Amino acid sequence: MQATGLAIDLVTAFFAATDSDNFSFVTQRYACLTPYRDFGVLAAHPDRYAALPDSARAVCRADLEAVADLITGNRPTYEAVSGASGYARALHAARLLQQWEAYAALPASAGGAFLRDRFMAENVEWLLDQARPNARMMLWAHNQHGTKGPGLMGRHLPTELGADYVNVAQLFGTGAFYAVEQDPRGFGPLQVFQARLVPNNSLERVFTAVGHSLLFDARLIPRAATPPPCCSGPSRCARSAPHSSRAGRSATSFRGCCPMTTTW
């Protein structure tokens, strides 16, 4: 839901193949997102969308809803042409665009970040539903999204999945990882970052001294204890080491913790 290009292309291709009479209707309704769609490594710009007048965003929101309603209202006809899985993908792509619009219209300071986490949980549940029954999923989340903190994806998922949701923190002291650079202008391209500095007051420092990778059950830590901070993600540990104790998550935010001596 952070990128619009693929979802727009999927829905328009769906209509080109199943309902060409409404193809122009759909492309016209999605025109409001064209200035903000991503092209390859060029990211979408939700900040620019948020700067639009409320009236303009309301019109765009209604246009996106109209496309979603069109797909929902013609399910038997569309499924007969595209099949159940093709229909489900198109409907979900239309939903992704509605998610992007809602997220882009709401600044992070006004709850946009938590709204994004709620949508992430919704999309995880959708993916799992497509693979059920008896499906299993491993979800790799950046920083604190997988924890059960208020408003985060890891808090929403147990509502649907119950005890089937198990979150595990992965920590490392040195190595490299992929992430996107973020600055006041927005997100940059995906790139490699090096992790070289291990904060003295972090779990990474403790387990680096052990000298090998291991796994422990964070549920065994007494709740009265105050464990050392567990960095909420390798990028935060590597790039914000002096502040990791303030910005990180404790080990008790996870049901398991998997420290590794290095990564790449």
Side-chain angles (χ1 to χ4, degrees):
M1 46 75 60
Q2 288 183 255
T4 58
L6 181 60
I8 291 173
D9 293 344
L10 197 155
V11 175
T12 53
F14 174 82
F15 274 91
T18 62
D19 185 5
S20 57
D21 290 343
N22 276 310
F23 178 80
S24 295
F25 172 86
V26 172
T27 55
Q28 290 170 7
R29 296 305 180 279
Y30 281 172
C32 65
L33 295 182
T34 300
Y36 316 103
R37 68 164 291 163
D38 56 302
F39 292 94
V41 298
L42 299 179
H45 294 282
D47 53 327
R48 298 178 185 174
Y49 182 81
L52 290 176
D54 290 345
S55 57
R57 285 188 275 108
V59 170
C60 187
R61 190 176 307 119
D63 284 344
L64 302 184
E65 184 177 1
V67 175
D69 289 346
L70 178 62
I71 299 174
T72 302
N74 289 279
R75 178 173 182 171
T77 301
Y78 292 161
E79 279 191 341
V81 179
S82 67
S85 60
Y87 172 83
R89 285 194 298 271
L91 181 60
H92 185 244
R95 174 60 183 155
L96 289 175
L97 294 174
Q98 291 180 292
Q99 291 175 350
W100 185 91
E101 192 281 330
Y103 160 69
L106 190 63
S109 59
F114 287 155
L115 181 62
R116 174 176 169 237
D117 269 79
R118 179 163 66 83
F119 289 153
M120 289 165 62
E122 177 185 329
N123 294 330
V124 169
E125 293 166 9
W126 181 87
L127 289 169
L128 194 56
D129 285 341
Q130 304 313 298
R132 282 177 175 169
N134 302 320
R136 298 292 185 269
M137 175 188 291
M138 178 175 286
L139 176 66
W140 189 289
H142 179 262
N143 281 357
Q144 76 272 20
H145 295 298
T147 69
K148 296 181 180 180
L152 297 174
M153 178 183 68
R155 174 66 67 88
H156 293 293
L157 287 175
T159 302
E160 172 69 19
L161 304 177
D164 287 342
Y165 175 69
V166 178
N167 56 340
V168 178
Q170 293 183 331
L171 316 176
F172 64 87
T174 60
F177 57 93
Y178 284 108
V180 295
E181 181 67 74
Q182 185 177 7
D183 58 35
R185 296 171 297 176
F187 293 98
L190 186 68
Q191 58 185 293
V192 175
F193 291 92
Q194 300 292 329
R196 299 187 179 93
L197 179 62
V198 183
N200 288 325
N201 62 341
S202 67
L203 281 176
E204 286 86 343
R205 173 67 70 180
V206 175
F207 290 110
T208 297
V210 174
H212 59 82
S213 300
L214 52 91
L215 174 67
F216 73 88
D217 190 340
R219 292 171 295 180
L220 300 179
I221 299 175
R223 290 303 177 186
T226 303
C230 167
C231 285
S232 57
S235 62
R236 183 163 292 168
C237 294
R239 297 167 57 202
S240 304
H243 307 288
S244 61
S245 61
R246 180 185 64 190
R249 296 280 170 177
S250 73
T252 51
S253 296
F254 303 89
R255 289 177 64 180
C257 203
C258 181
M260 297 169 283
T261 56
T262 188
T263 187
W264 172 211

